[in-house]
Amino acid sequence: MRVAGFAVVSVLAVAVAGCQSSPASEDLVIAPSPPPVVMAPPPPPSGIVVTGSRMAGAVQEWASPVSVVDASQAQAKSDYRYVPPVIVPTDPGTERYDGKEVSPVKIAAAEPLSTFSVDVDTGAYANARRFLTQGQMPPKDAVRTEEFINYFRYDYTRPADEAQPFSVSFDAAQSPWNAETRLVRIGLAGYTLPEDSRPPANLVFLIDVSGSMFAADKLPLVKTALIGLANQLTKKDKVSIVVYAGAAGLVLDATSNPAEIRNAINDLEAGGSTAGGAGIELAYRVAEANFIKGGVNRVILATDGDFNVGLSNTDALIEMIEKKRESGVTLTTLGFGQGNYNEALMEQLANKGNGNYAYIDSAIEAKKVLGEEMGSTIFTIAKDVKIQVEFNPAVVSQYRLIGYENRALRNEDFDNDAVDAGDIGAGHQVTAIYEVVLNGSKGWIPDRRYGDKLPASALDQADEAAYVKLRYKLPDGETSKLIDFVLPASKLKAAGAPKGDFAFAAAVAGFGQKLRGDPLLNGFSYDQLASLAGKQDDFYRQEFVKLAGVAGGMTDLRTMGGDEGQGGQ
């Protein structure tokens, strides 16, 4: 069966194949040195369609170990133990990232203002988790610390109603890795929309069905993710489906029938080149044709980002997205797969499309992003959200913002409503952490011989450590609103060691910075970060603690082998 010129495959065959395993793997025993390794064959050439039966055979071949130690021989040695097969991780050499240098330290007397756009993306954390679970350190350029921090939920007070779409919280603590500094946390918590008050949604699923999407962690996982989302939609919502390979086509016109949506998704298969630009163009046209005034109008792009036909230049794609957002249609990007993954493009498209970016590495992550956090992903409650912090040099001598390097704004952009910034979805949280040096404490930068004399206004307001301002627009507004707060100096001076929720946030921030090779962590180890995070009850937080331990173990191995690896030490 074929739909709109695109080949169709049975998902049931894929699912059955994915559940099969080699009989030999049940008795696999691996000696301590060297362990047997399962080698995966290269993916099929682009354009080749693999049917269900052939895929089943491929999965069986992938699951078969190269060498197996006889179980009866192993039982005679007490130091042998049963373990699952080891999969060699994919070489990330062809993956594309757009990393930035770690933010520099600023002297408050010279540069008191820090201005940036909020960022609610979480893709960098999920992608780094994929590397770590495969036994690799993520590339430094793949790590954006703010996305690590914002992957998790914190104990912020939520606003009572949508009159003010988000609440703002402040707290301070001593830095775990530097006795001379303090951490300042600014937390935003978005209003959670009750289900019965959600606006209607006009969604266009834009699905990459090119040959590069053949692997099990690509198109099959895309189907699982989008079918899960479709099952949560109501009768007032509608979904269209656009697919692209060598060309783009409309597979399903706008419908509110969940069965039609599921069937259309299930009937897709991978094959051909990747005309991503044409797909985006068509998806926006479909979204505009079905536009719901006062509702949510969003394109959801699911791809590995490997555009190679037609409009594929990153700058040209971004320019097109910037023009299209003026129509009121936003863009969410969902990244899948590995090996050829273009993370740089995925993050930038979502940023310029007034949307959000997530990386889906498992069905569990799909459920988190499109199930547990569907409101945050789909429904915007505030747009163009900017933060500007002015530090009082009479209290704070030096500071640095942890993360947000690619969200930095010029100071003059804060009051300019024409400058685009990040959006916040229903129930979203945004956390920003500064590390600051109090006056009189030893800073990262030595005192200047010809340092500027502090202004009288700073000394007169020495009870204020910082002045914090936020600007935002309502989803249908064009004029921003201002919220401002003062951070008392007493809060910084009396700050103790981080505890509970703040300690966990600090651990995540330190983890991201360590993976980036941040030298200002002063040798704080992965084990210390895991200890700082503490015992957790939440599944995702527990997983983080384990990942910190995995990173620490790999660091120990590389240290013994003289290999510093990709991530920070």
Side-chain angles (χ1 to χ4, degrees):
M1 179 180 177
R2 293 179 178 268
V3 177
F6 293 91
V8 178
V9 71
S10 169
V11 174
L12 181 59
V14 178
V16 171
C19 295
Q20 296 181 16
S21 62
S22 169
S25 65
E26 297 177 1
D27 294 325
L28 178 62
V29 178
I30 297 183
S33 177
V37 174
V38 180
M39 300 297 293
S46 176
I48 296 180
V49 176
V50 180
T51 64
S53 59
R54 288 176 63 193
M55 185 176 288
V59 171
Q60 287 179 335
E61 181 182 352
W62 287 20
S64 301
V66 174
S67 61
V68 177
V69 179
D70 185 82
S72 62
Q73 296 176 356
Q75 289 172 357
K77 297 187 179 182
S78 60
D79 60 342
Y80 279 18
R81 57 190 177 89
Y82 289 96
V83 297
V86 177
I87 307 294
V88 175
T90 303
D91 180 1
T94 60
E95 298 188 0
R96 282 159 282 182
Y97 300 96
D98 185 25
K100 307 296 182 185
E101 293 295 325
V102 173
S103 291
V105 172
K106 302 295 182 71
I107 296 176
E111 299 179 81
L113 289 177
S114 170
T115 309
F116 62 98
S117 163
V118 301
D119 181 6
V120 296
D121 296 343
T122 60
Y125 177 80
N127 188 40
R129 176 180 60 199
R130 183 253 301 184
F131 278 99
L132 290 167
T133 55
Q134 291 183 344
Q136 289 181 302
M137 283 293 199
K140 292 179 182 179
D141 285 347
V143 178
R144 289 184 295 278
T145 302
E146 72 275 12
E147 295 187 24
F148 279 46
I149 301 170
N150 289 328
Y151 184 87
F152 301 96
R153 293 292 180 259
Y154 302 98
D155 298 333
Y156 301 145
T157 301
R158 292 194 178 276
D161 57 60
E162 54 186 332
Q164 181 174 309
F166 51 84
S167 62
V168 184
S169 305
F170 298 99
D171 48 3
Q174 293 177 350
S175 170
W177 45 81
N178 187 339
E180 300 291 335
T181 64
R182 300 288 187 270
L183 299 181
V184 177
R185 179 172 65 157
I186 303 172
L188 280 60
Y191 173 70
T192 301
L193 284 173
E195 189 170 337
D196 58 1
S197 65
R198 278 176 18 199
N202 161 38
L203 305 178
V204 179
F205 293 172
L206 175 56
I207 305 173
D208 181 352
V209 294
S210 64
S212 69
M213 293 291 288
F214 168 80
D217 60 351
K218 294 188 178 181
L219 187 57
L221 190 53
V222 169
K223 295 178 180 182
T224 298
L226 294 183
I227 287 175
L229 173 58
N231 288 339
Q232 299 180 78
L233 300 178
T234 65
K235 293 181 179 179
K236 63 183 179 182
D237 305 319
K238 52 187 178 181
V239 170
S240 309
I241 298 178
V242 172
V243 297
Y244 65 90
L250 178 65
V251 168
L252 181 69
D253 208 348
T255 180
S256 299
N257 187 327
E260 291 183 4
I261 299 169
R262 287 193 299 267
N263 290 339
I265 294 173
N266 277 333
D267 282 344
L268 300 174
E269 76 171 18
S273 52
T274 316
I280 293 173
E281 177 74 31
L282 177 58
Y284 271 98
R285 290 209 307 265
V286 172
E288 291 164 5
N290 295 285
F291 194 88
I292 299 176
K293 189 174 182 179
V296 173
N297 299 277
R298 186 178 295 264
V299 173
I300 299 178
L301 169 62
T303 178
D304 57 13
D306 188 16
F307 297 176
N308 54 33
V309 172
L311 184 62
S312 58
N313 176 270
T314 298
D315 291 339
L317 284 167
I318 288 174
E319 183 179 353
M320 180 178 72
I321 295 296
E322 288 178 326
K323 291 179 180 178
K324 290 295 184 180
R325 75 185 180 203
E326 300 301 323
S327 68
V329 177
T330 56
L331 175 67
T332 288
T333 59
L334 303 177
F336 294 83
Q338 56 189 304
N340 64 333
Y341 184 50
N342 190 346
E343 202 260 6
L345 179 63
M346 299 296 287
E347 193 267 343
Q348 290 180 58
L349 290 182
N351 182 19
K352 300 301 182 182
N354 283 352
N356 40 55
Y357 155 64
Y359 178 78
I360 309 297
D361 60 338
S362 67
I364 293 176
E365 185 66 11
K367 183 178 180 182
K368 178 180 185 290
V369 173
L370 299 176
E372 299 167 15
E373 300 174 2
M374 183 191 74
S376 304
T377 303
I378 303 298
F379 302 100
T380 300
I381 58 170
K383 67 181 183 180
D384 291 340
V385 183
K386 309 170 188 175
I387 299 177
Q388 186 171 78
V389 180
E390 180 182 357
F391 287 101
N392 182 354
V395 180
V396 174
S397 61
Q398 301 172 28
Y399 69 90
R400 65 171 182 150
L401 176 60
I402 296 179
Y404 291 94
E405 285 84 1
N406 70 346
R407 299 288 178 157
L409 298 174
R410 299 176 303 174
N411 293 329
E412 59 268 30
D413 292 340
F414 180 76
D415 290 326
N416 187 349
D417 284 352
V419 175
D420 185 64
D423 297 354
I424 294 179
H428 255 149
Q429 290 188 352
V430 177
T431 299
I433 296 178
Y434 283 92
E435 187 171 9
V436 305
V437 177
L438 298 180
N439 257 332
S441 298
K442 182 181 180 182
W444 301 289
I445 301 174
D447 292 338
R448 294 176 295 173
R449 180 181 179 91
Y450 306 108
D452 296 331
K453 185 177 180 180
L454 291 177
S457 58
L459 296 171
D460 291 342
Q461 295 174 300
D463 57 337
E464 298 180 3
Y467 178 44
V468 182
K469 298 186 293 184
L470 297 96
R471 281 200 178 277
Y472 70 94
K473 300 172 188 172
L474 294 175
D476 56 352
E478 295 301 325
T479 302
S480 67
K481 297 186 177 185
L482 175 68
I483 306 174
D484 58 349
F485 301 88
V486 169
L487 177 63
S490 58
K491 200 159 192 174
L492 266 66
K493 294 176 181 178
K499 296 180 180 179
D501 196 56
F502 196 172
F504 181 82
V508 177
F511 183 66
Q513 292 298 97
K514 191 165 184 65
L515 289 173
R516 300 175 69 194
D518 182 357
L520 299 185
L521 290 181
N522 296 325
F524 207 71
S525 70
Y526 288 109
D527 288 342
Q528 287 175 299
L529 289 167
S531 178
L532 176 63
K535 186 177 180 180
Q536 300 293 330
D537 296 325
D538 175 78
F539 169 81
Y540 300 108
R541 290 190 174 202
Q542 290 175 342
E543 182 184 55
F544 166 79
V545 175
K546 292 180 180 179
L547 288 177
V550 167
M554 285 191 284
T555 299
D556 292 341
L557 289 173
R558 285 181 168 86
T559 300
M560 289 187 292
D563 179 8
E564 294 185 357
Q566 299 180 81
Q569 304 303 305

